[in-house]
Amino acid sequence: MAEPVRIPDAKVALSTASVYPESTATAFEIAARLGYDGVEVMVWTDPVSQDLEALRRLSDYHQIPILAVHAPCLLITQRVWSTDPWVKLQRAQAAAEKLGASTVVVHPPFRWQRQYARDFVTGIWRMANETDVRFAVENMFPWRYRDREMLAYAPDWDVTKDDYRHFTIDLSHSATSRTDALEMVDRMGDRLGHVHMADGKGSAKDEHLVPGRGSQPCAELLERLARTGFDGHVVIEVNTRRAMSAAEREADLAEALAFTRLHLASAVRVPRP
């Protein structure tokens, strides 16, 4: 008789970034139709992603919860929710609290944000101590062009070199940085609070492939999370901008969900009655 299958408590969410160039509203619709457990809202230039009432209405209409908020940390969001990075994080925290999300995902500062970078570790601890929302700091990567490398993030793109309460592991970023993702997860230990599930082949570009299409240990990580009883969120954050149609995009997101659910359902011995 086959061993019983234990499904971990981790919920599988869809990042709204995964439907780009489609809208935040489209992400909610797709997440609900495909059976995702929730969404992670990427706050960016789409006005709906910045509007808490609009997000609440989408969540209610589609009956799909908002599980996480990704603070506006990208180059293209430098003016979203203020030009002050601490104000951005305060607004992300407030959004998470009002929308019922448990996690704020944040990137380490760009190196040219000198004061912000200098205070980042202590500032994140201070904010984390003021709320039940998790601030999960995400691993990044060096920027590469041909044979040149630029360290664009500070204190470091490898966030395990600094002391944070919670981490996000992003497997596309580990591919781009050419880092052993499982070793990074080992360093994160029980402070791993959030996962961005994607894949990559080690290109200098941040690829965000559908899991299983690159070289990253996506299946191995998911199976490890299942064995260890991970109770955070696993967020599908893939690049579908090259999809030739809405149907092709949705097929990619369905495949990513199926892959993730399959490998989270690990054959673990469960006491028989």
Side-chain angles (χ1 to χ4, degrees):
M1 182 181 295
E3 292 289 345
V5 171
R6 182 187 71 182
I7 307 298
D9 293 333
K11 289 183 169 59
V12 182
L14 178 65
S15 169
T16 59
S18 295
V19 306
Y20 180 84
E22 297 293 338
S23 67
T24 299
T26 300
F28 278 84
E29 179 185 342
I30 292 174
R33 185 162 55 246
L34 295 181
Y36 278 83
D37 297 317
V39 300
E40 173 178 302
V41 174
M42 170 69 81
V43 180
W44 65 301
T45 55
D46 181 349
V48 171
S49 73
Q50 306 169 32
D51 185 331
L52 302 195
E53 287 306 314
L55 292 170
R56 184 179 287 111
R57 287 194 297 271
L58 284 168
S59 178
D60 291 344
Y61 178 79
H62 292 288
Q63 291 296 289
I64 193 88
I66 297 170
L67 301 179
V69 173
H70 195 310
C73 305
L74 306 175
L75 284 174
I76 63 169
T77 59
Q78 290 297 288
R79 295 186 178 278
V80 172
W81 280 0
S82 171
T83 56
D84 183 331
W86 290 114
V87 173
K88 293 175 185 285
L89 294 191
Q90 290 162 3
R91 292 190 64 171
Q93 176 186 327
E97 291 170 344
K98 291 175 181 176
L99 296 169
S102 65
T103 303
V104 167
V105 179
V106 57
H107 294 178
F110 293 112
R111 187 165 292 276
W112 55 84
Q113 296 174 301
R114 291 187 178 87
Q115 186 60 49
Y116 179 46
R118 189 175 302 119
D119 299 335
F120 185 69
V121 178
T122 56
I124 289 292
W125 270 102
R126 183 180 64 253
M127 294 188 72
N129 286 332
E130 295 171 351
T131 180
D132 291 332
V133 172
R134 292 179 173 183
F135 282 89
V137 186
E138 184 173 359
N139 63 302
M140 298 304 291
F141 47 86
W143 289 0
R144 294 190 179 92
Y145 179 71
R146 294 181 179 172
D147 59 346
R148 302 182 67 180
E149 182 176 290
M150 183 176 106
L151 300 179
Y153 299 96
D156 205 286
W157 61 263
D158 181 351
V159 292
T160 65
K161 293 182 178 180
D162 291 287
D163 180 29
Y164 301 108
R165 180 173 291 172
H166 291 107
F167 293 108
T168 296
I169 182 73
D170 183 305
L171 275 77
S172 178
H173 295 176
S174 63
T176 304
S177 65
R178 299 166 191 170
T179 300
D180 186 312
L182 295 180
E183 286 185 2
M184 178 171 276
V185 167
D186 285 340
R187 295 196 297 276
M188 290 177 174
D190 60 8
R191 292 183 291 172
L192 175 62
H194 201 70
V195 176
H196 278 169
M197 180 52 52
D199 213 334
K201 298 179 179 178
S203 165
K205 296 180 179 179
D206 185 16
E207 297 169 288
H208 283 275
L209 303 177
V210 170
R213 297 184 184 177
S215 60
Q216 291 303 286
C218 298
E220 294 91 334
L221 174 59
L222 291 166
E223 290 161 9
R224 178 184 295 193
L225 296 177
R227 290 194 304 271
T228 57
F230 178 73
D231 64 353
H233 304 318
V234 179
V235 177
I236 303 301
E237 191 183 73
V238 296
N239 183 349
T240 64
R241 69 187 65 182
R242 292 187 178 179
M244 300 301 292
S245 66
E248 183 179 338
R249 172 174 291 106
E250 194 161 322
D252 283 348
L253 298 177
E255 179 184 330
L257 176 61
F259 179 100
T260 301
R261 287 238 169 95
L262 172 66
H263 291 286
L264 275 176
S266 61
V268 177
R269 289 184 181 275
V270 177
R272 295 184 184 279

